[in-house]
Amino acid sequence: QVQLVESGGGLVQPGGSLRLSCAASRSIFSIYAMGWFRQAPGKQRELVASITTVGSTNYSDSVKGRFTISRDNAKNTVYLQMNSLKPEDTAVYYCTTGQYYSGSYYPDYWGQGTQVIVSS
């Protein structure tokens, strides 16, 4: 079992940046892949970005080129750097641990979520 705590959400203007952090309660080195999901009212939950145990990354088409996922296994922490934010990025963002199967990411543990609002 692992517990995840997100931080770094808030209100930002379009074109601005935020960095989300997710701290795990136990070591994740060489054990878990990690992923960030988001969900906005009236929209389906979306996998935004994921990262393997060795640092390979994947992004949704909607954020590729603007967001960067990274991990620091020594600190049991995963990050989501969000640049050039748009109003449509407004959502609750969730940190997860998970596994890759046949190239797809499947979450198994979820954080509580952190709100990101992009508005002028």
Side-chain angles (χ1 to χ4, degrees):
Q1 295 183 331
V2 60
Q3 293 178 313
L4 303 169
V5 179
E6 301 100 329
S7 62
L11 175 65
V12 65
Q13 294 185 355
S17 298
L18 284 174
R19 188 178 76 160
L20 306 184
S21 299
C22 174
S25 62
R26 54 173 286 181
S27 177
I28 58 173
F29 181 70
S30 296
I31 299 175
Y32 296 107
M34 306 287 290
W36 288 94
F37 287 83
R38 68 184 182 186
Q39 188 159 30
K43 299 176 66 176
Q44 292 186 336
R45 185 178 61 199
E46 176 187 22
L47 176 62
V48 174
S50 59
I51 186 167
T52 72
T53 56
V54 295
S56 297
T57 58
N58 293 281
Y59 299 94
S60 69
D61 290 340
S62 60
V63 307
K64 192 171 186 178
R66 300 188 297 120
F67 291 10
T68 302
I69 187 172
S70 61
R71 65 190 295 161
D72 186 338
N73 288 328
K75 297 181 178 180
N76 297 327
T77 302
V78 64
Y79 305 95
L80 185 67
Q81 178 67 47
M82 305 184 294
N83 298 325
S84 301
L85 283 162
K86 304 174 181 179
E88 51 263 45
D89 295 319
T90 297
V92 176
Y93 285 72
Y94 297 91
C95 174
T96 69
T97 63
Q99 306 289 334
Y100 281 96
Y101 299 102
S102 298
S104 297
Y105 177 79
Y106 296 88
D108 46 27
Y109 294 100
W110 294 73
Q112 83 288 347
T114 186
Q115 177 74 61
V116 172
I117 300 175
V118 185
S119 177
S120 60

